[in-house]
Amino acid sequence: MRIVIKVGTSTLTTKEGLLNEQYIFNLAKEVFSLREQGHKILIVSSGAVSAGKTHLCIKDKHKTLREKQAFAAVGQPLLMSAYSKAFAEYNNSVSQILLTRDVFDRRANYINVRNTLNTLIENDIIPIINENDSVSIDEINFGDNDMLSALVALAINAEKLIIFTDVDGVYNGTPKASSLIPKIDHITEEIEKLTSSTSSSGRGTGGMKTKIIAAKIATASGVETIITNGTKLNLLKEIVLGSFIGTTILASKKHLEAKKSWIAFSKKPKGTIFVDQKAEDFLLNKGKSLLAVGITKISGAFKRGDTINIANAQTKKDFARGLTNYDSDILEKVKGKKSQEIKNIVDAGEGEIIHRDNLVIISN
Ligand code: GLU
């Protein structure tokens, strides 16, 4: 089984912000025994910013973006050194992969990273993946490593994504054993409301909200997601065997095929096309491509090949995503027009604005 394990800063570091080397040793031990059983493991690890900051003895809580980027540059080699040391105890090699969001945007880069990850795990080398924080800027960041771990799980067709955190799972109310939700079939709006809080430890970035967003993406693409307490490393084997420890969010039965989940989740949307009710019905219920005639408004500046959200013009709610055949400035000229008319306005190669094969329904 291919398993992505995500470990957050609050799990990996001490209260003082130092890397918890003992924890990393224990993780290596558990991962080693999973590998002995034939599983392929990838680790998405945070902790670089915190480790770098503490290493430099910086106490101040509020730091600028460039300072955080500098801390990551100091902390990332410390993090890798801790992983290398721990896995060497079990004769396992580790490798470092640092990613930025834009790598997932371009299909060629995406395929390259996928090939590298596959080559590493096929050769029993454990990828330790983190965001390349030192070069990431707003437009190209993942936001948090929960999102990164979901996109990695999609890229390598993982069966499970295990997100380790500092609570036991998702709670229905105040955190106590009786309110822990062991199994979620489908992430509803209610679950999203329950989990709208952000990180409480002050060291990590996400909190439960970003974990649920990551789980939504992973499960829609066929990856079962488990949100569980990272301190209970000894339960990892049981989790992999399917025991409900923490909260398990089941993979959607009718999940998206690989290319469509890349369009829907891995590529960052660059704009929105608003359509009338008739066009929405055609897309949702008749399996049609998007034509110019149903488009009422366009927002954002985008190019042919970018991922675009499709929203209902009245409700403003996104219901699909797809790869546009036209740049936004051309769409401004052709919106609302019939396919024959378009041919007189632009040199239209394709009649469709977004072809059905490149279109994904994200809710209905
Ligand atoms: N990439 C960051 C780090 O290594 C952490 C981001 C996150 O925790 O979501 O420190």
Side-chain angles (χ1 to χ4, degrees):
M1 197 187 285
R2 293 177 166 214
I3 305 164
V4 176
I5 300 176
K6 187 259 167 177
V7 203
T9 303
S10 58
T11 309
L12 271 178
T13 56
T14 62
K15 273 199 199 67
E16 296 72 40
L18 281 172
L19 281 178
N20 185 341
E21 298 207 2
Q22 187 55 49
Y23 183 85
I24 297 177
F25 267 100
N26 295 343
L27 178 64
K29 180 170 158 231
E30 296 304 326
V31 167
F32 171 73
S33 73
L34 286 179
R35 296 191 50 219
E36 291 277 275
Q37 294 165 9
H39 300 297
K40 305 282 184 201
I41 312 289
L42 296 92
I43 297 176
V44 173
S45 177
S46 308
V49 173
S50 174
K53 186 175 167 192
T54 317
H55 184 78
L56 297 172
C57 301
I58 294 178
K59 293 259 160 21
D60 186 5
K61 244 187 169 180
H62 305 285
K63 284 284 149 196
T64 61
L65 177 65
R66 50 194 275 196
E67 284 169 315
K68 280 191 203 150
Q69 293 186 296
F71 299 153
V74 174
Q76 185 63 29
L78 299 173
L79 189 65
M80 283 314 296
S81 148
Y83 276 107
S84 301
K85 248 192 335 202
F87 278 95
E89 288 286 305
Y90 300 94
N91 283 327
N92 279 177
S93 299
V94 295
S95 53
Q96 170 183 262
I97 301 275
L98 297 177
L99 295 168
T100 45
R101 187 71 172 82
D102 56 336
V103 171
F104 285 78
D105 264 355
R106 279 177 245 124
R107 187 87 186 147
N109 290 3
Y110 179 73
I111 304 276
N112 255 331
V113 170
R114 200 168 76 180
N115 289 344
T116 308
L117 291 172
N118 281 328
T119 306
L120 289 167
I121 56 177
E122 277 151 22
N123 286 287
D124 280 334
I125 301 163
I126 298 167
I128 312 284
I129 304 157
N130 195 0
E131 178 157 8
N132 194 353
D133 294 304
S134 303
V135 305
S136 264
I137 47 163
D138 257 4
E139 299 81 64
I140 58 162
N141 80 2
F142 293 94
D144 53 82
N145 276 8
D146 298 320
M147 173 65 94
L148 172 60
S149 67
L151 297 184
V152 167
L154 259 55
I156 59 126
N157 266 328
E159 274 93 346
K160 280 188 205 288
L161 166 64
I162 300 172
I163 301 182
F164 276 148
T165 183
D166 49 8
V167 289
D168 282 346
V170 181
Y171 293 101
N172 186 2
T174 32
K176 57 178 188 287
S178 59
S179 58
L180 183 76
I181 309 175
K183 189 172 76 138
I184 296 174
D185 292 321
H186 177 68
I187 297 174
T188 55
E189 272 181 31
E190 229 184 324
I191 302 273
E192 286 181 81
K193 273 195 207 119
L194 277 177
T195 54
S196 54
S197 67
T198 47
S199 175
S200 55
S201 72
R203 280 173 285 134
T205 36
M208 202 45 84
K209 186 178 175 184
T210 55
K211 290 173 183 51
I212 290 294
I213 296 172
K216 222 173 153 181
I217 291 175
T219 53
S221 311
V223 186
E224 183 177 283
T225 304
I226 298 108
I227 300 173
T228 191
N229 197 324
T231 57
K232 298 180 182 166
L233 271 175
N234 53 328
L235 299 177
L236 197 51
K237 272 185 246 99
E238 283 177 57
I239 296 173
V240 169
L241 282 173
S243 304
F244 292 117
I245 294 164
T247 299
T248 300
I249 303 126
L250 300 182
S252 147
K253 287 199 187 77
K254 269 174 52 195
H255 61 81
L256 298 172
E257 43 136 318
K259 169 100 189 275
K260 290 217 167 175
S261 55
W262 174 72
I263 294 172
F265 305 123
S266 302
K267 254 173 100 65
K268 212 172 189 174
K270 296 276 163 59
T272 302
I273 293 176
F274 294 92
V275 300
D276 60 22
Q277 193 57 49
K278 197 167 161 200
E280 175 168 353
D281 291 341
F282 267 76
L283 298 179
L284 286 185
N285 308 317
K286 304 224 165 69
K288 300 281 187 200
S289 298
L290 175 67
L291 304 179
V293 67
I295 301 178
T296 61
K297 200 179 126 191
I298 288 135
S299 85
F302 48 83
K303 294 262 171 246
R304 177 188 159 92
D306 283 341
T307 285
I308 306 303
N309 284 320
I310 308 173
N312 181 301
Q314 233 105 64
T315 63
K316 309 275 181 281
K317 197 170 179 292
D318 296 346
F319 64 89
R321 238 167 243 166
L323 301 182
T324 172
N325 283 330
Y326 294 95
D327 296 0
S328 48
D329 53 347
I330 298 181
L331 276 187
E332 278 298 346
K333 291 187 200 145
V334 303
K335 69 178 183 212
K337 302 216 161 26
K338 297 221 170 74
S339 298
Q340 292 92 317
E341 292 176 76
I342 297 180
K343 297 210 167 84
N344 304 326
I345 302 171
V346 289
D347 181 17
E350 301 89 358
E352 304 90 3
I353 304 305
I354 297 181
H355 191 277
R356 188 72 205 175
D357 291 348
N358 293 326
L359 190 140
V360 189
I361 304 299
I362 50 172
S363 73
N364 59 12

